[in-house]
Amino acid sequence: MPGISLMEFWPLPLRAKCGLALRCVRRVEQFFTFPENDPEAAQHLKAFADAKALALAFALGSDEAPDEAERIRIVTTAYATAEATHEMTQFAGYSAAHAAQIVRLAAQIPSESNNESQMEAMASAFGSYRVVLSNAMPFAKELVEMTLRQELDKAISLELGANPDRGKPLDPSDEGPLGPLWPLGVPMGYA
């Protein structure tokens, strides 16, 4: 993504990475829809909602995540759903799966001596940004990139902690410290 590199997510603590990923989920969840007669729609919507809920609780500061087996189930189901639905949902399912993946990885990071899980968490946050950018219409791409750049810079300036710590909570809502999702105006295609 021009203007934002993968490594720019490295210094952020896990909750900040998760909160940023959740803001991306909010930007693209409008694309995660299915025809009324789709027999798997409820199952897909539940997988998306479960991944989003897991990530939101973590970003807001909860350490009361489900046990490891349940976290793995949520993440695995979210990624399977994203893969099964990507063509009709403009890859929106991946944004929720990436956000939930950060929570799964957070449980592993304190006990790991290498940084593989830290790298995966960084890549998950970056992946959520890529989903948003991939949905930008060509004439709106610059506005989307500027919005994402401002958001990342703001998150870094908040001093929420440092990698690999969990860090302070980050409210990903419009009322949180990062403000509205589209402070420069909602780009066409995201309304």
Side-chain angles (χ1 to χ4, degrees), residues 57-139:
F58 179 75
L60 291 175
S62 175
D63 286 319
E64 299 299 318
D67 65 25
E68 182 178 4
E70 181 64 3
R71 285 191 309 270
I72 290 170
R73 185 200 65 75
I74 290 170
V75 171
T76 302
T77 303
Y79 275 117
T81 297
E83 182 62 28
T85 64
H86 70 273
E87 289 180 4
M88 68 179 85
T89 63
Q90 297 176 247
F91 301 94
Y94 283 106
S95 64
H98 290 324
Q101 174 78 322
I102 295 168
V103 181
R104 185 188 71 77
L105 294 165
Q108 297 173 355
I109 288 174
S111 64
E112 287 203 358
S113 58
N114 65 41
N115 64 4
E116 185 176 326
S117 292
Q118 296 169 41
M119 293 293 289
E120 284 186 56
M122 176 181 64
S124 292
F126 183 71
S128 289
Y129 268 53
R130 294 293 302 159
V131 171
V132 173
L133 189 61
S134 74
N135 282 292
M137 295 182 174
F139 54 84

Side-chain angles (χ1 to χ4, degrees), residues 5-13 17 115-120 122 162-164:
S5 71
L6 172 68
M7 291 306 294
E8 289 183 82
F9 289 89
W10 179 259
L12 291 168
K17 288 175 179 120
N115 64 4
E116 185 176 326
S117 292
Q118 296 169 41
M119 293 293 289
E120 284 186 56
M122 176 181 64
N163 185 45

Side-chain angles (χ1 to χ4, degrees), residues 34-46 81 84-85 88:
F34 302 93
E36 288 181 25
N37 62 348
D38 185 333
E40 296 179 332
Q43 176 184 342
H44 296 324
L45 292 168
K46 180 176 179 352
T81 297
T85 64
M88 68 179 85

Side-chain angles (χ1 to χ4, degrees), residues 129-183:
Y129 268 53
R130 294 293 302 159
V131 171
V132 173
L133 189 61
S134 74
N135 282 292
M137 295 182 174
F139 54 84
K141 198 164 265 210
E142 186 175 339
L143 176 60
V144 173
E145 288 176 343
M146 287 185 343
T147 299
L148 297 176
R149 161 55 60 202
Q150 287 180 359
E151 180 175 272
L152 180 59
D153 290 347
K154 175 74 175 185
I156 291 168
S157 76
L158 292 173
E159 299 181 4
L160 297 167
N163 185 45
D165 298 332
R166 289 178 180 224
K168 297 175 187 170
L170 177 61
D171 180 354
S173 74
D174 288 356
E175 292 75 37
L178 299 176
L181 283 182
W182 301 108

